[in-house]
Amino acid sequence: VQLQASGGGLEQAGGSLRLSCAVSGRTFDYAAMSWFRQAPGKERRFVAGISRSGRKIAYDNSVKGRFTISRGNAKNTVYLQMNSLKSEDTDIYYCAASLGMSWDSVRADVREYDSWGQGTQVTVSS
């Protein structure tokens, strides 16, 4: 599985960005998809995830009500709509795919993800 993330950039606080992650191959329908974030020298942290079915969605508390994850199954793409951005949202964002989760499951453990995109930088200026 190959993942290609895009959509990061520089935005002012209060603004919006939309990240996209295109998944190659025919495995998209079988993968739970998530977004993680990582600062230099720190561990990768869960941001949001969506199950294979699309019915189970999870968010880190820090982004609830501001970020929305969704699947575009026809396009083999997962999105992260980021609204009301804050300076503390600044990080490198990675999309990830897990083929080991059940149909209606999504989990935040980085060790459960098989494939990773290359990362896209999000910078929010205050």
Side-chain angles (χ1 to χ4, degrees):
V1 180
Q2 291 186 328
L3 286 68
Q4 180 71 41
S6 61
L10 174 64
E11 182 59 71
Q12 292 184 339
S16 298
L17 286 171
R18 188 174 83 154
L19 306 184
S20 299
C21 178
V23 182
S24 65
R26 297 183 177 183
T27 55
F28 183 75
D29 290 345
Y30 304 100
M33 301 294 302
S34 288
W35 289 92
F36 289 77
R37 58 187 291 182
Q38 188 172 25
K42 295 189 176 181
E43 293 186 350
R44 202 163 287 188
R45 296 189 290 135
F46 177 80
V47 176
I50 186 167
S51 65
R52 291 162 56 190
S53 68
R55 291 192 294 263
K56 175 68 173 180
I57 291 176
Y59 295 100
D60 182 76
N61 286 338
S62 65
V63 306
K64 279 182 180 177
R66 301 188 298 120
F67 291 9
T68 302
I69 189 171
S70 61
R71 301 179 71 111
N73 288 340
K75 296 183 178 181
N76 281 15
T77 302
V78 64
Y79 303 99
L80 185 68
Q81 178 67 43
M82 310 167 72
N83 297 330
S84 301
L85 285 164
K86 304 176 181 179
S87 57
E88 50 263 43
D89 295 323
T90 296
D91 256 335
I92 299 174
Y93 284 73
Y94 297 88
C95 60
S98 172
L99 297 176
M101 296 182 190
S102 62
W103 185 244
D104 277 327
S105 295
V106 62
R107 291 186 288 274
D109 190 339
V110 65
R111 296 169 296 182
E112 299 200 52
Y113 289 82
D114 317 295
S115 302
W116 293 85
Q118 83 285 11
T120 184
Q121 176 72 49
V122 171
T123 303
V124 183
S125 62
S126 57

